[in-house]
Amino acid sequence: MTDQINRVVLAYSGGLDTSVILKWLQQTYNCEVVTFTADLGQGEELEPARAKAEMMGVKPEHIFVDDLREEFVRDYVFPMMRSNALYEGLYLLGTSIARPLIAKRQIEIAKMVGADAVSHGATGKGNDQVRFELGYYALSPDIKVIAPWREWDLTSRTKLIEFAEQHQIPVSKDKRGQAPFSTDANMLHTSSEGLVLENPWDEVPDYVYSRTVNPEDAPDVPEYITIDFERGDGVAINGEGMSPATLLSTLNEYGRRHGIGRLDLVENRFVGMKSRGMYETPGGTIYHLAHRGIEQLTLDRGAAHLKDELAPRYAELIYNGFWFSPEREMLQAAIDRSQEKVSGTVRLKLYKGGVYVVGRKSPNSLYSEKVVTFEDDQGAYDQRDAAGFIKLNALRLRLLGRRDQ
């Protein structure tokens, strides 16, 4: 027995899984389905999703294909990047940061069309079900959520294809039989999981990579670029001003060409299991290191070290789906406050999978060559001051040492 649902907004890609879900929702809940397809810069043509939804009986006015690229980078990727967040020290959170925006837009559409439920195609094993649904409930506490993978008996790709064929749902030829791995993509990254990647001892086959050339095949000559920052956000590459999405897209091309941003990771999912994934974050990897480069000049030690303490907690909140939580917003406020003077230019060398900060300058620099120089500092720093500083810091250690001798 299912709850009475009149209208549901489905996060719809147009692929096999969500197309089957569309038909399954119509059948199981006898409800009207509204489809929402987000353009987050995944590099795929999205208009076929509109045509496919209409073919499956969705009213044209209930098919939403929204370009969210600028909002994605401006309001989600850049704020996250200000924190230098890395989940488990390595992962730049490319999938995690896209989910709250999708959830937000789904809820907005649900309110526009008077829907009483939302639905997604995430499985019951992964993190995305949590991320989507925490977003839904934060923004619309009483919304009904339908997660077909937790309800239906279509437990394999073979069964999905059989269901699709029974109901005249077009199936892409490459979806017949077992696909070699599962992918998710947006402007920040592409993730690949499953099947050929499930044994963590086996090296990732080169054909899995879609966003970067093999670093061994990258140009034999390094390339230098500059990124300008204002208040912690990138605003220009090589002196040319760019919107957030354009800037990230341009960095993606640099990263692709030089084989930058590949990550083979065994991570701890929020639901408790370990999973092995391959992530490609070409532009994001360059941007992350550049941002740290400008912070080296402009952040005070206390602020910089506190940020580094906060970053793992912030990253875990994003990974676990708590973008809309008060604790994430509190951390964001502190992080954004730290970025007020983080402006300047970073010069980077890109070479065969590597990104190297080779220069940085800022009108707000705290670096004083006069103080730090090994040459005559003209009295800018009195080295004799260090003796008292050291003795005070050593006092407790000396007391301990005398006691324990």
Side-chain angles (χ1 to χ4, degrees), residues 123-137:
T123 75
K125 285 188 176 183
N127 298 303
D128 280 340
Q129 58 179 339
V130 183
R131 296 166 183 152
F132 282 130
E133 294 177 36
L134 290 179
Y136 299 153
Y137 290 131

Side-chain angles (χ1 to χ4, degrees), residues 138-196:
L139 299 171
S140 184
D142 299 318
I143 195 75
K144 294 186 180 74
V145 177
I146 302 173
W149 278 99
R150 302 201 300 255
E151 296 184 25
W152 65 19
D153 57 0
L154 303 174
T155 54
S156 70
R157 183 161 297 280
T158 301
K159 289 186 177 180
L160 287 180
I161 291 172
E162 288 174 357
F163 182 96
E165 290 177 341
Q166 288 168 10
H167 296 89
Q168 292 79 52
I169 300 170
V171 179
S172 301
K173 288 182 180 179
D174 61 351
K175 292 292 187 181
R176 293 179 183 272
Q178 287 285 327
F181 52 90
S182 172
T183 64
D184 177 79
N186 59 50
M187 186 171 285
L188 182 56
H189 91 157
T190 296
S191 67
S192 302
E193 294 180 325
L195 295 175
V196 299

